[in-house]
mmCIF file of all heavy atoms in Angstrom:
data_model
loop_
_atom_site.group_PDB
_atom_site.id
_atom_site.type_symbol
_atom_site.label_atom_id
_atom_site.label_comp_id
_atom_site.label_asym_id
_atom_site.label_seq_id
_atom_site.Cartn_x
_atom_site.Cartn_y
_atom_site.Cartn_z
ATOM 1 N N THR A 194 45.385 193.999 -73.718
ATOM 2 C CA THR A 194 45.194 194.856 -72.541
ATOM 3 C C THR A 194 44.380 196.091 -72.879
ATOM 4 O O THR A 194 43.621 196.582 -72.055
ATOM 5 C CB THR A 194 46.562 195.292 -71.986
ATOM 6 O OG1 THR A 194 47.321 195.866 -73.051
ATOM 7 C CG2 THR A 194 47.306 194.134 -71.396
ATOM 8 N N SER A 195 44.566 196.583 -74.123
ATOM 9 C CA SER A 195 43.805 197.781 -74.495
ATOM 10 C C SER A 195 42.322 197.497 -74.510
ATOM 11 O O SER A 195 41.518 198.324 -74.096
ATOM 12 C CB SER A 195 44.256 198.300 -75.861
ATOM 13 O OG SER A 195 43.945 197.330 -76.851
ATOM 14 N N PHE A 196 41.963 196.305 -74.991
ATOM 15 C CA PHE A 196 40.527 195.977 -75.024
ATOM 16 C C PHE A 196 39.991 195.689 -73.629
ATOM 17 O O PHE A 196 38.827 195.952 -73.344
ATOM 18 C CB PHE A 196 40.277 194.781 -75.935
ATOM 19 C CG PHE A 196 40.166 195.170 -77.366
ATOM 20 C CD1 PHE A 196 41.172 194.857 -78.268
ATOM 21 C CD2 PHE A 196 39.065 195.858 -77.814
ATOM 22 C CE1 PHE A 196 41.072 195.226 -79.586
ATOM 23 C CE2 PHE A 196 38.950 196.224 -79.135
ATOM 24 C CZ PHE A 196 39.970 195.916 -80.030
ATOM 25 N N LEU A 197 40.829 195.152 -72.768
ATOM 26 C CA LEU A 197 40.348 194.815 -71.428
ATOM 27 C C LEU A 197 40.313 196.037 -70.526
ATOM 28 O O LEU A 197 39.385 196.223 -69.757
ATOM 29 C CB LEU A 197 41.256 193.738 -70.802
ATOM 30 C CG LEU A 197 41.087 192.341 -71.397
ATOM 31 C CD1 LEU A 197 42.154 191.427 -70.857
ATOM 32 C CD2 LEU A 197 39.701 191.799 -71.083
ATOM 33 N N LYS A 198 41.352 196.850 -70.621
ATOM 34 C CA LYS A 198 41.470 197.952 -69.692
ATOM 35 C C LYS A 198 40.732 199.192 -70.152
ATOM 36 O O LYS A 198 40.315 200.019 -69.378
ATOM 37 C CB LYS A 198 42.948 198.319 -69.489
ATOM 38 C CG LYS A 198 43.741 197.203 -68.846
ATOM 39 C CD LYS A 198 43.329 197.054 -67.424
ATOM 40 C CE LYS A 198 44.118 195.960 -66.725
ATOM 41 N NZ LYS A 198 43.660 195.781 -65.363
ATOM 42 N N LYS A 199 40.589 199.323 -71.451
ATOM 43 C CA LYS A 199 39.998 200.537 -71.993
ATOM 44 C C LYS A 199 38.493 200.410 -72.019
ATOM 45 O O LYS A 199 37.960 199.355 -72.346
ATOM 46 C CB LYS A 199 40.531 200.765 -73.402
ATOM 47 C CG LYS A 199 40.316 202.185 -73.885
ATOM 48 C CD LYS A 199 41.021 202.364 -75.195
ATOM 49 C CE LYS A 199 40.777 203.762 -75.740
ATOM 50 N NZ LYS A 199 41.336 203.928 -77.058
ATOM 51 N N LYS A 200 37.823 201.429 -71.708
ATOM 52 C CA LYS A 200 36.357 201.401 -71.697
ATOM 53 C C LYS A 200 35.858 201.331 -73.127
ATOM 54 O O LYS A 200 36.220 202.158 -73.958
ATOM 55 C CB LYS A 200 35.827 202.678 -71.030
ATOM 56 C CG LYS A 200 34.324 202.746 -70.981
ATOM 57 C CD LYS A 200 33.903 204.036 -70.342
ATOM 58 C CE LYS A 200 32.400 204.176 -70.411
ATOM 59 N NZ LYS A 200 31.952 205.437 -69.837
ATOM 60 N N PRO A 201 35.050 200.338 -73.489
ATOM 61 C CA PRO A 201 34.565 200.248 -74.874
ATOM 62 C C PRO A 201 33.646 201.414 -75.178
ATOM 63 O O PRO A 201 32.725 201.701 -74.441
ATOM 64 C CB PRO A 201 33.784 198.926 -74.880
ATOM 65 C CG PRO A 201 33.448 198.678 -73.460
ATOM 66 C CD PRO A 201 34.497 199.280 -72.635
ATOM 67 N N GLU A 202 33.909 202.056 -76.269
ATOM 68 C CA GLU A 202 33.084 203.212 -76.631
ATOM 69 C C GLU A 202 32.654 203.074 -78.076
ATOM 70 O O GLU A 202 33.252 202.343 -78.867
ATOM 71 C CB GLU A 202 33.853 204.519 -76.421
ATOM 72 C CG GLU A 202 35.203 204.521 -77.056
ATOM 73 C CD GLU A 202 35.992 205.740 -76.627
ATOM 74 O OE1 GLU A 202 35.396 206.695 -76.150
ATOM 75 O OE2 GLU A 202 37.204 205.718 -76.815
ATOM 76 N N SER A 203 31.631 203.784 -78.419
ATOM 77 C CA SER A 203 31.051 203.661 -79.755
ATOM 78 C C SER A 203 31.966 204.276 -80.793
ATOM 79 O O SER A 203 32.818 205.104 -80.495
ATOM 80 C CB SER A 203 29.694 204.352 -79.798
ATOM 81 O OG SER A 203 29.868 205.730 -79.599
ATOM 82 N N GLU A 204 31.738 203.835 -82.033
ATOM 83 C CA GLU A 204 32.562 204.347 -83.126
ATOM 84 C C GLU A 204 32.373 205.847 -83.291
ATOM 85 O O GLU A 204 33.307 206.564 -83.605
ATOM 86 C CB GLU A 204 32.155 203.619 -84.418
ATOM 87 C CG GLU A 204 33.083 203.843 -85.610
ATOM 88 C CD GLU A 204 34.373 203.089 -85.452
ATOM 89 O OE1 GLU A 204 34.409 202.079 -84.740
ATOM 90 O OE2 GLU A 204 35.360 203.527 -86.063
ATOM 91 N N ALA A 205 31.141 206.316 -83.043
ATOM 92 C CA ALA A 205 30.852 207.739 -83.234
ATOM 93 C C ALA A 205 31.656 208.602 -82.273
ATOM 94 O O ALA A 205 32.227 209.621 -82.657
ATOM 95 C CB ALA A 205 29.359 207.992 -83.033
ATOM 96 N N SER A 206 31.725 208.166 -80.990
ATOM 97 C CA SER A 206 32.467 208.971 -80.017
ATOM 98 C C SER A 206 33.949 208.958 -80.316
ATOM 99 O O SER A 206 34.663 209.932 -80.112
ATOM 100 C CB SER A 206 32.201 208.450 -78.608
ATOM 101 O OG SER A 206 32.602 207.099 -78.517
ATOM 102 N N LYS A 207 34.447 207.788 -80.838
ATOM 103 C CA LYS A 207 35.875 207.734 -81.197
ATOM 104 C C LYS A 207 36.170 208.705 -82.332
ATOM 105 O O LYS A 207 37.182 209.370 -82.360
ATOM 106 C CB LYS A 207 36.251 206.308 -81.604
ATOM 107 C CG LYS A 207 36.383 205.361 -80.426
ATOM 108 C CD LYS A 207 37.006 204.048 -80.836
ATOM 109 C CE LYS A 207 36.001 203.183 -81.530
ATOM 110 N NZ LYS A 207 36.514 201.856 -81.848
ATOM 111 N N MET A 208 35.239 208.759 -83.304
ATOM 112 C CA MET A 208 35.438 209.678 -84.432
ATOM 113 C C MET A 208 35.489 211.117 -83.951
ATOM 114 O O MET A 208 36.313 211.913 -84.398
ATOM 115 C CB MET A 208 34.288 209.520 -85.439
ATOM 116 C CG MET A 208 34.214 208.162 -86.084
ATOM 117 S SD MET A 208 35.626 207.860 -87.147
ATOM 118 C CE MET A 208 35.278 206.196 -87.677
ATOM 119 N N LEU A 209 34.565 211.457 -83.026
ATOM 120 C CA LEU A 209 34.513 212.832 -82.535
ATOM 121 C C LEU A 209 35.777 213.199 -81.789
ATOM 122 O O LEU A 209 36.345 214.259 -81.968
ATOM 123 C CB LEU A 209 33.306 213.003 -81.619
ATOM 124 C CG LEU A 209 31.986 213.284 -82.344
ATOM 125 C CD1 LEU A 209 30.869 213.307 -81.340
ATOM 126 C CD2 LEU A 209 32.062 214.594 -83.079
ATOM 127 N N LYS A 210 36.248 212.252 -80.914
ATOM 128 C CA LYS A 210 37.447 212.545 -80.143
ATOM 129 C C LYS A 210 38.651 212.677 -81.059
ATOM 130 O O LYS A 210 39.497 213.538 -80.880
ATOM 131 C CB LYS A 210 37.694 211.442 -79.108
ATOM 132 C CG LYS A 210 36.740 211.508 -77.927
ATOM 133 C CD LYS A 210 37.067 210.439 -76.926
ATOM 134 C CE LYS A 210 36.111 210.490 -75.738
ATOM 135 N NZ LYS A 210 36.395 209.433 -74.786
#
Side-chain angles (χ1 to χ4, degrees):
T194 53
S195 64
F196 276 108
L197 287 172
K198 296 290 181 183
K199 197 173 178 185
K200 180 181 174 182
E202 51 189 342
S203 65
E204 191 74 25
S206 59
K207 284 191 282 185
M208 296 293 178
L209 276 175
K210 286 182 180 178

